[in-house]
Amino acid sequence: MAEEFPVVGLDSAAREAVELLAVRRLPGLIVVGAKGEPHSVLPASQVVRFLVPSYVQDDPSLARVIDESLADQVADKLANVTVRRLLPSEPVELPVVNHDDTVLEVAAIMARLRCPLVAVLKDKKIIGAITASRLLELVVTPH
Amino acid sequence: MAEEFPVVGLDSAAREAVELLAVRRLPGLIVVGAKGEPHSVLPASQVVRFLVPSYVQDDPSLARVIDESLADQVADKLANVTVRRLLPSEPVELPVVNHDDTVLEVAAIMARLRCPLVAVLKDKKIIGAITASRLLELVVTPH
């Protein structure tokens, strides 16, 4: 039921994580600690938030009059930065399920926590993930 | 910059919307009103929530002892139901941008509203969408 899902470390290079999100067009990445233990989710929208200057976030109309392109700013912002810096101050919780949980058990946790992604653990190691749309696939398509 | 993105009507059959999420493995769909005007986003995680019985959401451990499979329940729950019924009581706002907005303008709105998806309008009609990961692609990959 679990599928392979990209995982990055808290101390990985931010630039690589962002390229992974971009190239594979993922809504988010799983972030793990030094021992491979699940830590949190890094949503792509959070990375966008990190990259946009705060004065532009406060007043999006400023975006129209700023000359420098976002692409130019991005290179600077991501240089020598780790994934840890990209995370929101209150990291997005990463729910975990066991590799032998049933579809209904996974759905129950997803529904309760309103999360689009759960990590799947076996012997305390992440072996993959289940997205909400993957779960829907399991329940609406004939097996 | 905008990409084609699946759109469903408020009064479309729920079953078809769920199949679209499942088959195309989307994190969500754009929902439009009767005249094609943008209404909201239907996140896949919200559909999971709709499908899981509320007593199981309240106590996920019940999921382990329930015999009936989720797939069996789903067919019943989705029969004769429209997309409108699937939406949360407070629909997820769908931010809109104009087709001629710059990357920085789109990023500013995404960052401010912390949304993973914006609809792109031209002459009041939705011509596509931009996801957060698409936006990252535009700023981190050389053009």
Side-chain angles (χ1 to χ4, degrees):
Chain A
M1 169 157 74
E3 296 185 299
E4 184 271 332
F5 203 88
V7 168
V8 292
L10 273 171
D11 297 314
S12 308
R15 172 99 207 172
E16 280 167 38
V18 176
E19 282 173 357
L20 199 56
L21 285 167
V23 172
R24 298 195 39 187
R25 305 296 284 279
L26 297 163
L29 293 173
I30 289 178
V31 182
V32 295
K35 289 172 186 155
E37 75 280 11
H39 179 275
S40 58
V41 174
L42 174 63
S45 57
Q46 167 61 25
V47 177
V48 173
R49 207 173 152 77
F50 175 84
L51 296 175
V52 174
S54 56
Y55 58 89
V56 176
Q57 285 181 45
D58 293 341
D59 183 358
S61 68
L62 286 177
R64 222 161 301 156
V65 295
I66 290 175
D67 227 22
E68 194 187 7
S69 87
L70 188 56
D72 293 337
Q73 298 172 42
V74 163
D76 291 343
K77 274 219 155 179
L78 290 179
N80 307 314
V81 166
T82 64
V83 165
R84 195 187 297 272
R85 274 288 308 282
L86 297 183
L87 293 172
S89 45
E90 292 193 11
V92 180
E93 199 197 338
L94 169 62
V96 295
V97 298
N98 289 310
H99 70 106
D100 54 1
D101 283 350
T102 66
V103 173
L104 184 55
E105 285 178 284
V106 176
I109 287 163
M110 218 175 245
R112 195 177 193 198
L113 303 179
R114 298 163 194 252
C115 65
L117 180 76
V118 296
V120 181
L121 293 194
K122 186 176 181 181
D123 303 330
K124 293 184 186 167
K125 275 194 62 182
I126 295 181
I127 58 165
I130 301 171
T131 60
S133 57
R134 164 71 176 149
L135 196 116
L136 293 176
E137 187 187 47
L138 290 168
V139 296
V140 299
T141 54
H143 308 290
Chain B
M1 168 157 70
E3 296 185 299
E4 185 271 332
F5 203 88
V7 168
V8 292
L10 274 172
D11 298 314
S12 308
R15 172 102 207 169
E16 280 167 40
V18 176
E19 283 173 357
L20 198 57
L21 285 167
V23 172
R24 297 193 43 186
R25 306 295 283 279
L26 298 163
L29 293 173
I30 289 178
V31 181
V32 295
K35 288 172 186 154
E37 74 280 11
H39 180 275
S40 58
V41 174
L42 174 63
S45 57
Q46 166 62 25
V47 177
V48 173
R49 204 173 154 77
F50 176 84
L51 295 176
V52 174
S54 55
Y55 58 90
V56 176
Q57 285 181 46
D58 293 342
D59 183 0
S61 68
L62 285 177
R64 224 162 298 156
V65 296
I66 290 175
D67 227 22
E68 193 188 10
S69 86
L70 188 57
D72 293 337
Q73 298 171 40
V74 163
D76 291 344
K77 274 220 156 179
L78 290 180
N80 306 314
V81 165
T82 63
V83 165
R84 194 187 298 270
R85 273 290 306 284
L86 297 183
L87 293 173
S89 46
E90 292 193 11
V92 181
E93 198 196 339
L94 169 61
V96 294
V97 297
N98 289 311
H99 70 106
D100 55 2
D101 283 351
T102 65
V103 174
L104 184 56
E105 283 177 285
V106 175
I109 287 163
M110 218 174 245
R112 195 181 193 195
L113 304 178
R114 298 161 195 253
C115 63
L117 180 77
V118 297
V120 181
L121 294 193
K122 185 177 181 181
D123 303 330
K124 292 184 185 164
K125 275 193 63 183
I126 294 180
I127 58 164
I130 301 170
T131 60
S133 56
R134 164 70 175 149
L135 196 113
L136 292 177
E137 187 186 47
L138 290 168
V139 296
V140 297
T141 53
H143 307 290

